[in-house]
Amino acid sequence: MPSRLKAALRTQAAARKDRAPLYRWWTPYLFQLPFFALFLPFGIGAVMGALGISFADWRIGQGFSFAGLDNYRDALADPLFRHAMRVTFTLFIGFMVIVIPIALALAALLNANGLRGRKLLQLFFFLPVTMSLVAVALIFALLLDGRVGLLTNAIEAIGFNRPGFLTDPDLAPVSIVGLRIWRVVGFYTIILYAGLQAIPRDVYEAAIVDGATSWQQFRYITLPLLRPVTLFVCVAASIAAWELFAEPYILTGGGPARSTLTAIIYVYRTAFQNFELGVGAAAATLLALVIIATTLMLTRLLRERT
């Protein structure tokens, strides 16, 4: 009987589908047309153009000729590019290790039963995301300045040496990562919070009846059911970390002692300051391959171990 009922329901659904007006099928695609109209020429077109330039010997004001893999060899042989990739990888690890646990903890706080001021906290967490990145970087530059910075003056006022947040090669990367975390952690928090809200409450109630502790509920219910959302957050955070540009460029310009010279800053300087467009495009392509490899690795890791 259940199989017959399922078959009848499928037949009714198919009949309703056949009777659906034609506009219901093409209307969603109509709303997507503006996105693809801009994405195809300025997204895919730009990527294909950069890929083509990476195989060319082209400098602004000079001729255009095919270079094969010479640009890739020049980029990989450049000690500055290898240094920029090492710096970017270090910032990537520091960012990922810190931002994901903080976002998950804040999302769990927002999802707690009986929490007061939930809407106000959501606004407080998400507000930095809405701010202009350049404006935020300039504000942090004033706060962390070694001479007139509010934070450095406060630290000196309580009896400590004035730290060089932007001039010390050891502290500058920490400052960059701290700024990026402060600005984007609210975005990941809201996404994880939405994922937590989608988990049925009756699952937790059944676990409580079975005597599961809070940690067991988190380990065996929350994490597995939150897996798709966690995967999205990790991939988005990893891409943002590998593409770090505005914060170090505005705050330190890649210094001090090249301690915050990221791969994107290297690409920008090579292509638009040294006018070596082919080498810059090749370096950008290599970075894109690293991002793709990182995304595939995170996808496989989360699918196997979460």
Side-chain angles (χ1 to χ4, degrees), residues 9-296:
L9 292 175
R10 285 195 297 267
T11 302
Q12 293 177 3
R16 288 194 300 268
K17 184 177 180 181
D18 293 336
R19 293 194 302 268
L22 182 61
Y23 71 88
R24 291 188 179 180
W25 296 103
W26 55 260
T27 300
Y29 300 100
L30 181 64
F31 283 102
Q32 296 177 27
L33 281 180
F35 166 77
F36 286 106
L38 295 175
F39 178 73
L40 290 177
F42 298 105
I44 300 298
V47 170
M48 299 305 296
L51 185 62
I53 294 174
S54 69
F55 294 101
D57 183 9
W58 185 28
R59 290 174 174 82
I60 296 179
Q62 300 181 10
F64 186 96
S65 60
F66 181 72
L69 297 177
D70 290 346
N71 292 326
Y72 290 90
R73 285 193 289 266
D74 292 342
L76 292 173
D78 189 354
L80 193 58
F81 175 69
R82 296 198 297 268
H83 173 77
M85 290 299 295
R86 286 194 297 267
V87 169
T88 308
F89 178 73
T90 302
L91 296 177
F92 163 79
I93 295 296
F95 178 75
M96 294 293 292
V97 168
I98 297 175
V99 73
I100 300 301
I102 291 179
L104 187 57
L106 294 178
L109 172 65
L110 291 176
N111 197 49
N113 293 327
L115 178 66
R116 295 184 178 182
R118 194 187 312 272
K119 297 296 183 182
L120 184 61
L121 286 176
Q122 293 180 33
L123 176 63
F124 178 76
F125 293 154
F126 194 75
L127 189 60
V129 183
T130 65
M131 298 180 181
S132 169
L133 176 56
V134 175
V136 169
L138 292 176
I139 292 173
F140 267 75
L142 294 175
L143 290 174
L144 303 177
D145 186 83
R147 295 175 298 174
V148 298
L150 179 62
L151 183 58
T152 54
N153 288 335
I155 292 176
E156 185 182 35
I158 61 178
F160 294 94
N161 294 329
R162 184 186 294 265
F165 288 112
L166 304 179
T167 57
D168 188 336
D170 295 326
L171 290 179
V174 178
S175 303
I176 297 299
V177 172
L179 169 57
R180 171 55 70 93
I181 291 174
W182 177 84
R183 185 176 179 273
V184 302
V185 69
F187 175 71
Y188 304 132
T189 297
I190 297 301
I191 294 177
L192 290 171
Y193 171 65
L196 291 174
Q197 287 284 294
I199 299 177
R201 291 292 178 180
D202 54 359
V203 179
Y204 291 102
E205 293 173 359
I208 293 174
V209 171
D210 291 338
T213 63
S214 299
W215 167 249
Q216 290 173 333
Q217 295 175 40
F218 179 78
R219 174 65 183 86
Y220 296 105
I221 297 177
T222 304
L223 286 182
L225 295 182
L226 199 63
R227 178 176 59 187
V229 180
T230 305
L231 175 60
F232 171 79
V233 168
C234 288
V235 170
S238 67
I239 295 175
W242 280 112
E243 295 179 343
L244 190 64
F245 172 75
E247 292 91 339
Y249 186 78
I250 295 174
L251 290 179
T252 62
R258 298 173 178 172
S259 60
T260 60
L261 179 64
T262 62
I264 295 295
I265 293 180
Y266 173 86
V267 170
Y268 172 77
R269 290 180 176 176
T270 303
F272 301 108
Q273 291 183 354
N274 300 333
F275 303 113
E276 297 179 357
L277 298 179
V279 179
T285 303
L286 292 172
L287 178 62
L289 294 177
V290 172
I291 293 175
I292 294 173
T294 304
T295 301
L296 295 176

